[in-house]
């Protein structure tokens, strides 16, 4: 470019006292000490260098109401590659507390395991201690146990289906219908045991108190109304196209895998395995009652829904028979001591068919007033372990539906 | 194969039935507007423990500070200090009897193990307080409730307890009036522990 002579030559101007200093050379700081280990990318993990995978941590607080629980999902696009449940956020040291306190002192803590079904938890623990100490339960108490356990099963299944539909996006309506019925059952529990959820009702060798006056009539009224509720619930849901599209063929669980993984409860029966502890174990007086075990054919989420509906109907049948047959008599073996209860040294495992599966209590006694070992087999914890197998290859929204149908309560998973 | 959407319509008919029903069928009106409307508590309802006294709130306390409930309480929410006379002899009276409501889990085990029918379950449940430490610790004075109050909130259970206590007192009195046996009888003030925690069948 030609220089214009009219323009002043700026380069000739003085720069004043501005001195261009030579660049200061700062010694580079020593490199931070390394971690001392090398990070190996997890195979299949999001940090494996494969940009197409995305790791999503759902939780620890998830809006879909299952408690403090985290799901680590590795997604390929929308498909689930890995799905890892992380739990322990609600750990309350239940088993160690049981070992530290008296046998009776652990009973109210069992209410807090699966807080939807405190009465079945009570029963499983009482059964374990009764086996340990060789106690007999009066017939009336056995019938009361059956009645309360089946009421518990009904309210658990009803509210579980409500929560399942909540996960499907049916905000409110089915859940509120289920809660309306649950409320009637909780009222029965309250008038019998004094508390709606933390019942603390069963005792070793029977039940804490007899039925209050008028309870059986009230219970009969509630039970007689239940089939109407099931019909209403099924009209609302069973043939609903959205429910069918979202649940049929989703979350398939093969029979063999279910058995090998130790799955129990409605989840196992939906896969077509005829295994119900009420029939298999002959505990309580279930042998005197006539009922059937509903089984699924496909092992998908819809079958799990359907198995639970049918189980509620069967429970109602059990209830009608038990309310008809309940004998008079004492409800508690008067020889059983409340305080200083010392079963002889030995071990016992008591298990029942809780609404969520096989709930077992394993106790070792050393002859003292507190158990030497106190261990719980929580059904929802073990049912949760195959979540990944059911979810792999599906989308995240399917995974939440599958999780909803597993029926977990974090109080029991984490204990 | 039915019409697509028939199931949804069937469900909507059900919700419509519920919705319309809620206008004329009182069975379908399940909500209770709580602070204004209250449901009556069932007789067996329980919230937190209370101490029963006969006649006088201090002297009449049935509690003898035996500390069984303190020992048996699973979450250890009870704190008892036995009273002593000026010479240091222990008295059958709790100088301090505190229950921490923030720890108590309303399990009723203290009630079941008490041999003196001194501790029973209250039904009061509106216990919120501004003081999260002191306000949730109930002292002996707050816990003391009269037997009349107990009869009011748990009529059946309290009547059974009263009848049993009266029978035991009568028996003890008859024994003390009888010629003294060779071995000293147990003190008359100590009623025998109840045989079992189950009241007589009522149905």
């Amino acid at each position: 470019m030609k220089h214009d002579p009219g323009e002043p030559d700026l380069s000739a101007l003085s720069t004043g006292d501005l001195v261009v200093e030579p660049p200061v050379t700062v010694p580079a700081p020593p490199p931070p000490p390394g971690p001392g280990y090398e990070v190996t990318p997890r195979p299949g993990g999001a940090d494996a260098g494969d940009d197409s995978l995305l790791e999503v941590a759902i939780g620890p607080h998830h809006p879909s109401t299952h408690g403090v629980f985290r799901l680590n999902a590795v997604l390929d696009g929308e498909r689930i590659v890995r799905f890892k449940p992380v739990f322990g956020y609600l750990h309350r040291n239940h088993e160690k507390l049981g070992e530290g306190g008296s046998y009776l002192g652990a009973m109210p803590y069992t209410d807090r395991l699966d807080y939807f079904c405190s009465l079945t938890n009570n029963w499983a623990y009482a059964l374990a201690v009764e086996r340990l100490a060789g106690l007999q339960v009066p017939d009336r108490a056995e019938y009361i146990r059956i009645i309360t356990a089946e009421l518990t099963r009904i309210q658990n299944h009803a509210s579980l289906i409500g929560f399942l539909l909540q996960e499907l996006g049916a905000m409110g309506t089915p859940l509120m219908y289920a809660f309306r019925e649950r409320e009637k059952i909780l009222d029965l529990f309250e008038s019998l045991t004094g508390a709606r959820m933390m019942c603390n009702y069963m005792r070793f060798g029977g039940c804490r108190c007899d039925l209050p006056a008028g309870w059986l009539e009230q219970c009969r009224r509630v039970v007689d109304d239940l089939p109407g509720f099931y019909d209403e619930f099924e009209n609302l849901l069973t043939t609903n196209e959205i429910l069918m599209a979202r649940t049929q063929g989703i979350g398939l669980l093969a029979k063999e895998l279910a058995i090998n993984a130790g799955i129990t409860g409605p989840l196992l029966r939906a896969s077509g395995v005829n295994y119900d502890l009420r029939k298999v174990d002959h505990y309580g007086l279930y042998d005197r009652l006539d009922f059937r075990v509903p089984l699924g054919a496909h092992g998908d989420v819809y079958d799990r829904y359907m198995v639970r509906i049918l189980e509620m109907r069967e429970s109602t049948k059990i209830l009608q028979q038990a309310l008809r047959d309940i004998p008079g008599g004492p409800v508690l073996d008067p020889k059983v001591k409340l305080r200083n209860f010392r079963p002889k040294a030995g071990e016992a495992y008591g298990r029942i068919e809780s609404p969520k599966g096989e709930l077992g209590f394993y106790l070792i006694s050393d002859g003292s007033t507190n158990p030497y070992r106190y261990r719980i087999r929580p059904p929802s914890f073990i049912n949760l372990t195959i979540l990944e197998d059911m979810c792999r290859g599906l989308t995240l929204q399917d995974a939440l539906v599958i999780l909803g149908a597993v029926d977990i309560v974090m109080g029991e998973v984490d204990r | 194969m039915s019409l697509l959407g028939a199931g949804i319509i069937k469900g909507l008919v059900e919700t419509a039935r519920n919705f319309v029903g809620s206008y004329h069928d009182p069975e379908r009106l399940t909500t209770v507007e709580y602070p204004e409307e209250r449901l009556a508590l069932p007789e067996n309802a329980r919230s937190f423990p209370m101490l029963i006294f006969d006649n006088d709130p201090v002297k009449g306390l049935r509690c003898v500070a035996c500390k069984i409930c303190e020992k048996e309480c699973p979450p250890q929410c009870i704190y008892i200090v036995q009273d002593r006379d000026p010479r240091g002899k222990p008295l059958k009276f709790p100088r301090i009897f505190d229950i921490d409501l923030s720890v108590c889990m309303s399990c009723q085990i203290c009630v079941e193990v008490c041999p003196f029918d001194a501790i029973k379950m209250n039904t009061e449940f509106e216990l919120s307080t501004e003081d999260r430490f002191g306000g949730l610790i109930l002292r002996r004075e707050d816990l003391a409730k009269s037997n009349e109050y107990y009869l009011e909130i748990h009529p059946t259970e309290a009547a059974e307890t009263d009848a049993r206590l009266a029978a035991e007192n009568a028996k003890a009195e008859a024994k003390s009036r009888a010629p003294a046996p060779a071995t000293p009888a147990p003190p008359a003030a100590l009623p025998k522990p109840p045989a079992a925690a189950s009241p007589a069948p009522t149905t």
Side-chain angles (χ1 to χ4, degrees), chain A residues 343-384:
Chain A
K344 58 186 184 304
E347 58 180 346
Y349 182 62
R351 57 180 189 171
I352 67 161
E353 181 72 32
S354 93
K356 296 181 167 56
E358 174 187 334
L359 174 67
F361 281 79
Y362 175 59
L363 296 168
I364 301 180
S365 163
D366 57 358
S368 65
T369 54
N370 52 327
Y372 174 77
R373 181 79 177 97
Y374 176 101
R375 158 83 191 152
I376 303 161
R377 182 211 188 272
S380 48
F381 171 65
I382 292 167
N383 291 354
L384 199 53

Side-chain angles (χ1 to χ4, degrees), chain B residues 92-183:
Chain B
K92 285 181 179 167
F93 184 73
R95 185 160 60 81
I96 296 174
F97 195 115
D98 292 349
I99 291 183
D100 190 346
L101 295 193
S102 57
V103 177
C104 177
M105 59 178 181
S106 313
C107 66
Q108 210 183 12
I109 281 179
C110 49
V111 176
E112 287 168 52
V113 297
C114 181
F116 303 97
D117 289 302
I119 188 163
K120 295 288 172 191
M121 294 309 274
N122 203 341
T123 53
E124 202 182 323
F125 56 90
E126 288 155 324
L127 297 159
S128 56
T129 166
E130 287 173 1
D131 177 7
R132 59 186 272 225
F133 299 109
L136 288 172
I137 294 182
L138 294 191
R139 311 282 173 196
R140 194 187 67 203
E141 299 76 40
D142 314 317
L143 289 165
K145 295 279 191 292
S146 67
N147 197 30
E148 287 71 44
Y149 176 76
Y150 176 43
L151 271 164
E152 195 182 303
I153 59 172
H154 301 298
T156 317
E157 190 192 308
E160 275 165 17
T161 311
D162 278 3
R164 195 177 62 239
L165 286 180
E168 278 162 7
N169 281 343
K171 213 157 85 186
E173 220 161 90
K175 214 175 200 177
S176 66
R177 267 192 273 118
T183 51

Side-chain angles (χ1 to χ4, degrees), chain B residues 4 17-18 25 39 51 56-57 63 70 81 93-94 97 154 160 178-179 195:
Chain B
L4 186 69
R17 227 164 51 79
N18 270 277
D25 187 1
L39 293 172
L51 292 174
D56 185 86
C63 179
E70 186 187 37
V81 174
F93 184 73
F97 195 115
H154 301 298
E160 275 165 17

Side-chain angles (χ1 to χ4, degrees), chain A residues 28-330:
Chain A
Y37 55 84
E38 261 184 54
V39 180
T40 318
R42 273 182 289 157
D47 45 1
D50 185 353
D51 289 340
S52 63
L53 292 182
L54 175 70
E55 191 165 348
V56 184
I58 311 166
H61 286 273
H62 190 259
S64 70
T65 60
H66 284 294
V68 206
F69 174 48
R70 187 152 64 99
L71 281 165
N72 276 353
V74 177
L75 303 175
D76 178 8
E78 266 203 274
R79 302 280 152 190
I80 290 169
V81 180
R82 290 171 69 250
F83 204 52
K84 190 174 150 223
V86 182
F87 24 68
Y89 295 98
L90 205 60
H91 180 62
R92 289 148 307 161
N93 205 13
H94 178 97
E95 289 174 359
K96 208 67 193 168
L97 280 175
E99 285 165 22
S102 66
Y103 282 90
L104 176 64
M107 184 62 89
Y109 286 117
T110 61
D111 292 336
R112 284 137 178 97
L113 278 175
D114 171 0
Y115 38 78
F116 266 76
C117 318
S118 60
L119 284 158
T120 48
N121 299 343
N122 282 181
W123 192 0
Y125 179 54
L127 195 70
V129 177
E130 280 154 11
R131 291 214 173 132
L132 190 63
L135 302 174
Q136 290 299 315
V137 182
D139 273 11
R140 185 176 173 82
E142 290 278 22
Y143 271 95
I144 295 176
R145 286 180 177 191
I146 288 174
I147 291 168
T148 52
E150 295 307 319
L151 286 171
T152 303
R153 193 182 316 279
I154 289 167
Q155 58 100 353
N156 177 71
H157 284 354
S159 40
L160 171 90
I161 292 169
F163 282 124
L164 175 65
L165 268 289
Q166 182 111 330
E167 315 235 13
L168 279 166
M171 296 312 249
T173 309
L175 183 62
M176 287 304 121
Y177 283 21
F179 267 36
R180 189 186 63 204
E181 296 309 308
R182 179 170 179 259
E183 199 68 12
K184 295 175 187 162
I185 294 174
L186 292 191
D187 283 346
L188 284 174
F189 288 170
E190 192 182 14
S191 62
L192 172 61
T193 70
R196 300 168 71 77
M197 289 173 81
M198 303 298 138
C199 296
N200 184 22
Y201 178 60
M202 314 247 174
R203 289 288 175 271
F204 317 132
C207 299
R208 193 184 71 220
C209 56
D210 203 349
L211 304 172
W215 194 86
L216 281 175
E217 285 68 45
Q218 197 191 345
C219 185
R220 279 192 195 107
R221 270 201 303 280
V222 170
V223 170
D224 289 343
D225 286 348
L226 282 172
F229 161 65
Y230 306 143
D231 293 341
E232 183 184 284
F233 218 40
E234 283 214 79
N235 278 343
L236 183 66
L237 301 173
T238 301
T239 53
N240 186 304
E241 281 82 1
I242 301 171
L243 177 79
M244 283 152 79
R246 286 295 303 280
T247 57
Q248 288 182 342
I250 298 295
L252 291 172
L253 176 61
K255 224 184 227 190
E256 293 73 29
L257 177 63
I259 294 170
N260 288 343
I263 306 305
T264 47
L267 198 60
L268 178 71
R269 292 193 285 277
S271 293
V273 184
N274 188 357
Y275 182 76
D276 187 320
L277 286 175
R278 290 174 292 176
K279 293 280 193 193
V280 173
D281 232 27
H282 311 286
Y283 70 93
L285 294 178
Y286 276 112
D287 283 349
R288 294 192 193 171
L289 304 166
D290 173 40
F291 67 101
R292 296 189 303 165
V293 179
L295 298 179
H298 310 93
D300 57 4
V301 174
Y302 190 78
D303 275 11
R304 287 168 208 151
Y305 157 75
M306 212 57 224
V307 160
R308 288 191 171 102
I309 291 268
L310 294 174
E311 265 187 26
M312 289 200 284
R313 290 189 186 272
E314 291 301 316
S315 289
T316 312
K317 266 169 60 186
I318 297 176
L319 278 170
Q320 280 162 346
Q321 295 170 50
L323 289 170
R324 189 193 60 210
D325 296 344
I326 183 166

Side-chain angles (χ1 to χ4, degrees), chain B residues 26-48:
Chain B
E27 278 286 296
R28 293 195 181 271
L29 282 174
T30 44
T31 308
V32 178
E33 307 277 340
Y34 158 60
E36 291 84 26
E37 256 180 86
R38 279 153 195 273
L39 293 172
L41 285 173
E43 215 182 280
N44 276 347
R46 61 174 198 254
S47 63
F48 292 106

